[in-house]
């Protein structure tokens, strides 16, 4: 089993920044993809950004140029730096780890953009 511990959500004003962290623990294998998804009220869960262990990243068009996903392999942690946040970024953000085809999810952390 793999456990994912998310942190860093909260309330931020439009134009502000937040950094989300996701630390993986448990039965960790070196081959993985980690990602952040988000789900806004009344909407489907969508991919925000993903990163492979080798560092290849992929971003949703809506966050390109504003969000940066990075990882620390030694700490089994990924970081999502979110800048220039707007109202449409309000959602519950979920960390995901795909490890040899087995997918694990975190419990989610709320990000609210409001003035």
């Amino acid at each position: 089993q793999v456990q994912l511990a998310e942190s860093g959500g909260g309330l931020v004003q439009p134009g502000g920044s937040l950094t989300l962290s996701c630390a993986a623990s448990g039965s960790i294998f070196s081959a993985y993809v980690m990602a952040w998804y988000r789900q806004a009220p009344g909407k489907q869960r969508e991919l925000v950004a993903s990163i492979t262990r080798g560092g290849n990243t992929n971003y949703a068009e809506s966050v390109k140029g504003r969000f940066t996903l990075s990882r620390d392999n030694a700490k089994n942690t990924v970081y999502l730096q979110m800048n220039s946040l707007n109202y449409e970024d309000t959602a519950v953000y979920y960390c995901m780890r795909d490890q040899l085809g087995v997918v694990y999810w975190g419990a989610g952390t709320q990000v609210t953009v409001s003035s």
Side-chain angles (χ1 to χ4, degrees):
Q1 282 291 334
V2 173
Q3 294 78 44
L4 301 175
E6 301 143 327
S7 61
L11 175 65
V12 63
Q13 292 185 338
S17 298
L18 281 176
T19 300
L20 305 183
S21 299
C22 176
S25 61
S27 301
I28 303 296
F29 297 138
S30 60
Y32 66 85
V33 174
M34 289 192 74
W36 285 95
Y37 284 73
R38 67 185 181 186
Q39 188 166 18
K43 294 187 177 181
Q44 289 188 328
R45 191 174 297 190
E46 63 176 0
L47 175 67
V48 177
S50 64
I51 188 167
T52 65
R53 187 182 189 278
N56 294 318
T57 55
N58 180 53
Y59 295 93
E61 285 296 325
S62 60
V63 306
K64 280 184 180 178
R66 300 188 298 123
F67 291 11
T68 302
L69 183 59
S70 60
R71 85 279 186 258
D72 184 334
N73 287 334
K75 296 182 178 180
N76 291 307
T77 299
V78 294
Y79 306 94
L80 184 66
Q81 174 67 42
M82 305 186 294
N83 299 325
S84 302
L85 286 161
N86 57 54
Y87 297 115
E88 289 70 34
D89 296 315
T90 295
V92 178
Y93 284 69
Y94 296 91
C95 180
M96 185 279 291
R97 184 175 176 106
D98 182 338
Q99 191 164 279
L100 301 178
V102 181
V103 176
Y104 301 91
W105 292 95
T109 185
Q110 177 71 46
V111 172
T112 302
V113 183
S114 175
S115 56

